[in-house]
Amino acid sequence: EMGYIFYSKERFLFFPRKVLISFCVKPEYRTKENLSKFGDIIKKELGRHFTCYLYTRNTRAIRFLEKVGMKKLKSNNLITLLSI
């Protein structure tokens, strides 16, 4: 296993899209090729449309999600919302 993905399987009233809650790639698997594969796994598991809320200070995770196609919708000094 190269890491984990934790997400909501159901759409909720306040979340019209699935929500990526947490993810991690183990340090020994953090190569360019594996990160690309992991991004593909996330999109395969969650589908074409999902969102993710991250602490704005988590710039590494935000950059990773942007590289796999997510866009920042909103951001403030505490939380950043990304969506695809």
Side-chain angles (χ1 to χ4, degrees), residues 27-70:
E28 61 268 24
Y29 291 99
R30 291 180 187 165
T31 65
K32 187 174 182 177
E33 182 179 311
N34 284 338
L35 290 173
S36 177
K37 286 180 188 177
F38 195 75
D40 291 341
I41 291 168
I42 289 173
K43 290 187 282 187
K44 181 181 175 190
E45 288 291 319
L46 276 79
R48 296 177 59 206
H49 303 287
F50 62 93
T51 58
C52 182
Y53 294 84
L54 291 171
Y55 285 112
T56 300
R57 68 176 181 246
N58 193 347
T59 57
R60 182 169 48 174
I62 292 168
R63 281 193 313 268
F64 169 74
L65 292 176
E66 288 176 323
K67 285 180 183 178
V68 300
M70 296 190 83

Side-chain angles (χ1 to χ4, degrees), residues 21-32:
I21 297 168
S22 181
F23 65 94
C24 176
V25 178
K26 293 179 182 176
E28 61 268 24
Y29 291 99
R30 291 180 187 165
T31 65
K32 187 174 182 177

